Amino acid sequence: MASGFSWSGGRPRCFAYWQEFQKCYAQTDSPRECRPAANDYLECLHHPKETQRALAIEKEYLRKVDKAIKESKKSSEPLAEGVVVGVGLINREGSDKS
């Protein structure tokens, strides 16, 4: 990070956040004021909020699948056959499902 170059020679993906944090830290008397910039930089590096959100989505999806299995024995058939189940966020061409 200190050099400002990534493995491929360009700028690292989080370098802009690092610069914002470094600028804030250099100009302030109280480092506590730079906490938002530090949080942005750490989110860019490690993605903890994004990971937490993805886990919450997966948990809700699994809850709905369990509920569907309990309601109907036939709803478990696609899962038993190994069919890839989509979340329904992306509509593909030729798909009639809404």
Side-chain angles (χ1 to χ4, degrees):
M1 180 51 65
S3 67
F5 293 99
S6 68
W7 289 97
S8 62
R11 284 191 157 196
R13 68 173 192 261
C14 301
F15 188 66
Y17 295 107
W18 171 253
Q19 284 183 322
E20 288 178 27
F21 171 68
Q22 191 176 22
K23 179 181 174 184
C24 176
Y25 196 77
Q27 293 176 350
T28 188
D29 294 330
S30 174
R32 193 173 298 159
E33 295 174 6
C34 298
R35 197 71 205 147
N39 288 341
D40 289 344
Y41 175 62
L42 291 174
E43 175 64 31
C44 181
L45 284 178
H46 305 293
H47 309 290
K49 292 178 185 175
E50 180 181 354
T51 304
Q52 187 178 25
R53 182 172 186 264
L55 289 173
I57 290 171
E58 180 183 17
K59 183 178 176 181
E60 178 65 17
Y61 169 73
L62 292 175
R63 186 189 67 76
K64 285 184 178 184
V65 168
D66 287 343
K67 182 180 176 184
I69 289 173
K70 289 177 184 177
E71 289 178 1
S72 170
K73 292 179 182 177
K74 290 186 177 186
S75 65
S76 64
E77 290 177 6
L79 298 175
E81 294 175 3
V83 176
V84 176
V85 180
V87 191
L89 299 176
I90 300 174
N91 291 330
R92 300 212 167 121
E93 290 182 25
S95 175
D96 294 345
K97 296 178 182 178
S98 296

